[in-house]
Amino acid sequence: MFKDGGMWNDLQIGTEKQITIEREKKVAFDMFLFGSLFIMAMYHLILFIYRRQEYVNLYYGLFCMLISIRGLFLGETFVMNLLPNIRWELAQQIEFLTYYLGQPLYVMVFYSLFPLDVSKKYCKICAVVGGIFGLMVLLTPANVYTNYLYVYQIISMIAIVFWFYYIILVVVRKRDGAPVTIVGGVILVTAVISDLLYYNDIRFINNFFKTDHLSAIGLLIFILSQSCNLSSRFSLAFVKIEEMSNEMMGLNENLEAIVKERTVALQQASN
């Protein structure tokens, strides 16, 4: 039912206690990652409810939600503990759907942050491609849609090349939040490349850093950086609102003083 059979990781040998402790550490990390991303997702979705014109909160909240759900189906697959009766086919569909839809959502986040620099056509192409592969997951069995994973991986690499082009534009034009975005983006790209290599059984990056959680750590750092970026944007917006409010209050006070002076002048003239 799957493109490739066999084990994903090397077989580990040890005592029952050692294996149990190792698994508990991995489960704890997976739960920490899920909780962090889920809280960020809910926070930004609630922000969108209160400020419907800020679509970046909607896209970012959905992106975090997708990644948090995806984490339950990877690694120690903790979802199997929560839902032991879940069908394998459904678990595979959710894993692939969150992968295929994650990239278009991030592209929409990126476009919402820098609408003057990122092409709408680029966003539409990413959305259409992600939607097509998502429909393939829903409409075909696992032994079909898993065979086309490498095609989407190639498309993802092409999309990353265009993303680098746009990020260079953002930096050259000195847009607000560009430094944080490029640092977080480079970390995200490293995580994505790590995932691509992992799915193709090439793990030298993970072996170099001596961790199986490189992609998860990279995604968490990226999402934290983007949250800081969005928080900075909101803070600047509130500062501008306060400055405008203070200016309006000053103008009102001056206007009141002028009206009083004119009133006194008119009264004196009439007398």
Side-chain angles (χ1 to χ4, degrees):
M1 297 184 70
F2 200 80
K3 181 174 73 73
D4 296 313
M7 296 185 296
W8 281 102
N9 298 304
D10 297 332
L11 184 66
Q12 292 183 333
I13 299 176
T15 64
E16 180 182 355
K17 183 178 180 181
Q18 290 173 328
I19 299 298
T20 301
I21 291 174
E22 188 65 24
R23 183 179 185 277
E24 288 177 349
K25 288 180 180 178
K26 292 179 178 179
V27 169
F29 179 83
D30 289 343
M31 290 300 95
F32 166 74
L33 185 67
F34 169 77
S36 302
L37 296 176
F38 186 80
I39 290 171
M40 289 184 192
M42 294 305 299
Y43 171 72
H44 287 91
L45 290 175
I46 291 171
L47 280 180
F48 174 72
I49 292 174
Y50 285 102
R51 290 182 58 82
R52 297 293 180 89
Q53 67 272 27
E54 295 284 349
Y55 281 95
V56 64
N57 288 318
L58 174 63
Y59 300 138
Y60 191 67
L62 291 175
F63 177 72
C64 291
M65 185 67 72
L66 268 184
I67 301 302
S68 68
I69 293 172
R70 178 174 168 76
L72 294 176
F73 293 84
L74 299 176
E76 296 301 312
T77 57
F78 189 72
V79 71
M80 298 301 178
N81 297 77
L82 297 175
L83 303 170
N85 295 324
I86 188 172
R87 295 185 299 110
W88 180 87
E89 293 87 351
L90 178 60
Q92 285 298 303
Q93 284 180 322
I94 294 173
E95 178 186 340
F96 275 75
L97 274 175
T98 52
Y99 175 64
Y100 289 148
L101 300 180
Q103 180 174 298
L105 274 175
Y106 172 67
V107 169
M108 293 308 300
V109 173
F110 190 57
Y111 173 76
S112 299
L113 289 172
F114 308 105
L116 299 178
D117 307 293
V118 182
S119 169
K120 284 186 179 181
K121 186 180 291 185
Y122 171 68
C123 299
K124 289 179 180 178
I125 291 173
C126 289
V128 170
V129 171
I132 290 172
F133 278 83
L135 285 174
M136 188 184 299
V137 171
L138 294 174
L139 300 177
T140 62
N143 64 337
V144 174
Y145 66 76
T146 56
N147 280 297
Y148 292 92
L149 176 63
Y150 75 95
V151 177
Y152 193 79
Q153 291 172 344
I154 294 172
I155 295 172
S156 296
M157 295 305 297
I158 296 172
I160 288 172
V161 171
F162 279 94
W163 178 86
F164 268 113
Y165 166 73
Y166 290 124
I167 201 67
I168 290 171
L169 279 182
V170 168
V171 173
V172 170
R173 294 172 180 175
K174 298 180 180 179
R175 304 298 190 193
D176 291 337
V180 176
T181 300
I182 192 169
V183 171
V186 169
I187 294 172
L188 174 65
V189 169
T190 304
V192 170
I193 293 174
S194 172
D195 261 354
L196 296 180
L197 295 176
Y198 179 84
Y199 274 110
N200 289 280
D201 203 27
I202 302 173
R203 306 176 186 177
F204 70 89
I205 295 181
N206 298 71
N207 294 334
F208 178 79
F209 288 98
K210 298 181 179 180
T211 179
D212 294 330
H213 297 297
L214 182 61
S215 60
I217 294 171
L219 279 168
L220 182 59
I221 294 173
F222 164 76
I223 288 172
L224 285 172
S225 69
Q226 293 305 294
S227 295
C228 292
N229 201 2
L230 289 174
S231 298
S232 175
R233 284 166 59 93
F234 294 146
S235 297
L236 289 173
F238 284 127
V239 168
K240 290 180 180 179
I241 291 172
E242 288 178 355
E243 290 176 351
M244 292 176 65
S245 298
N246 292 333
E247 289 178 3
M248 288 297 296
M249 289 176 63
L251 290 172
N252 287 334
E253 290 175 359
N254 291 334
L255 183 60
E256 288 176 2
I258 292 171
V259 169
K260 286 179 181 180
E261 290 178 2
R262 294 289 175 87
T263 303
V264 171
L266 288 172
Q267 288 176 347
Q268 290 175 351
S270 61
N271 292 333

